[in-house]
Amino acid sequence: MNEITQTGPDELQAARERINRLDAELARLFAERMEAVGQVAAYKAEHQLPVLDAERERQVLAKNLALLDNEELKPYFRQFLQYFMDLSKDYQRAVLQQNTVVYAGAEGAFASQAARWLFPNYRYHSCADFANVFQEVLGGQAAFGVIPFENSYTGEVGEVFDLLFKHNCYIQAICDLPVRQNLLALPGAKLSGIKKVYSHPQALSQCAAFLQEYALTPQPYVNTALAAQYVADSGDKSAAAIASAESAQLYGLEILAANINSSSQNTTRFIVIGRELKACGSHFNLLFTVNHNAGQLARVMSLIGDLGFNMESIKSRPLRDLPWQYYFYVEIEGNVADAAAQELLVRLKNNCHTLKVLGNYDLTQVIGGN
């Protein structure tokens, strides 16, 4: 292993010049590799093959990691390889015109901001609600869907958990978007004249203290951006919407009050859903049910800890058709493809009534948001 030693200005400049030469070589190799990726895309189109070949991806990761002797660098090389393969899949989808991302709501919604940040080179399409996002992804009309999962102030989005339990799709990524809610109204409107405020129930809840302070009547609406559009179309200066600053610009509204959410740390966690389970990730999550016996859930939780896994989150949701029975969601550190995780799944299957691997992914922190 090479030791890092203190260098002077001359050595620093020499190292930077070496990096520049290597970057130039990487640029040439990148273009050459993506040309080959384009040929792969053409073959897949001709033979109607999916973009993601999970088994091939696992083989490539294992083979290329074995080429690196420096054990200290292997975790970084693994991330590099995974990112490189993700870029290759993005390019294949672009070539095959399968690079559409869907989200619920309208342009200006926080989900649309998350989608553009996560997929800057994709096409975007809005859906009326969360169920339609799942339908378009599962039906193949979109490669991915971006939907809110939970909020740091108001908690989980229960409908999304239920859709994940119902449908056969997988979480591809998770990102946290700081959310700044704003009170929007028609130009010339005054805060003192506002009577009703339209927004998604989660947004209304996040801003409950502000609404109470000014005696404003909350009006639930399907989406924050659509609420802004509704107010813009209404012509009613006594109506306002809670939405993003971007929505104000899009729909010609003014911000009467900015950052009105009760918590200054208000953050919404978004998930990316797709049809395939990723081959690599730093976290995985599970959905499961247990037999309705005393202590069964505790045994499952103990099993996860006994096998050396750190469980970061556990949530429960009622089973709609079975009163007083629940399904459970857990988030665990690790890569589900590793041997230890595979052993855990085998053990869990013997102790759970049903078990579903929901996703294998990396956490992504989004900086900003409006």
Side-chain angles (χ1 to χ4, degrees), residues 309-328:
F309 287 92
N310 180 35
M311 186 174 61
E312 293 191 341
S313 175
I314 177 170
K315 304 178 189 297
S316 64
R317 289 283 299 169
L319 289 165
R320 290 187 174 183
D321 299 327
L322 296 172
W324 317 120
Q325 294 194 38
Y326 300 85
Y327 69 86
F328 300 91

Side-chain angles (χ1 to χ4, degrees), residues 98-115:
Q98 298 176 5
N99 59 335
T100 297
V101 174
V102 291
Y103 57 89
E107 187 179 0
F110 292 106
S112 74
Q113 297 176 31

Side-chain angles (χ1 to χ4, degrees), residues 48-65:
Q48 297 183 329
L49 297 174
V51 168
L52 175 62
D53 183 341
E55 182 56 34
R56 162 70 176 168
E57 196 163 290
R58 280 190 284 270
Q59 292 173 1
V60 170
L61 277 171
K63 180 186 69 175
N64 288 336
L65 280 170

Side-chain angles (χ1 to χ4, degrees), residues 252-323:
L253 300 176
E254 292 183 349
I255 298 177
L256 296 186
N259 300 332
I260 63 172
N261 30 276
S262 300
S263 171
S264 61
Q265 303 301 314
N266 189 23
T267 301
T268 295
R269 174 159 287 185
F270 288 88
I271 59 171
V272 177
I273 60 169
R275 294 184 298 277
E276 306 288 345
L277 180 66
K278 288 187 66 175
C280 182
S282 62
H283 292 72
F284 64 95
N285 45 24
L286 309 171
L287 287 175
F288 64 90
T289 60
V290 296
N291 295 323
H292 200 48
N293 299 325
Q296 189 64 27
L297 178 60
R299 282 192 285 272
V300 171
M301 296 298 97
S302 295
L303 180 61
I304 294 172
D306 291 345
L307 290 179
F309 287 92
N310 180 35
M311 186 174 61
E312 293 191 341
S313 175
I314 177 170
K315 304 178 189 297
S316 64
R317 289 283 299 169
L319 289 165
R320 290 187 174 183
D321 299 327
L322 296 172

Side-chain angles (χ1 to χ4, degrees), residues 220-255:
Y221 211 80
V222 67
N223 177 267
T224 57
L226 290 176
Q229 186 179 40
Y230 171 78
V231 169
D233 294 341
S234 72
D236 183 359
K237 289 188 177 181
S238 71
I242 292 176
S244 67
E246 182 176 325
S247 292
Q249 296 174 350
L250 285 169
Y251 301 112
L253 300 176
E254 292 183 349
I255 298 177

Side-chain angles (χ1 to χ4, degrees), residues 71 121 288:
E71 292 295 327
N121 299 315
F288 64 90

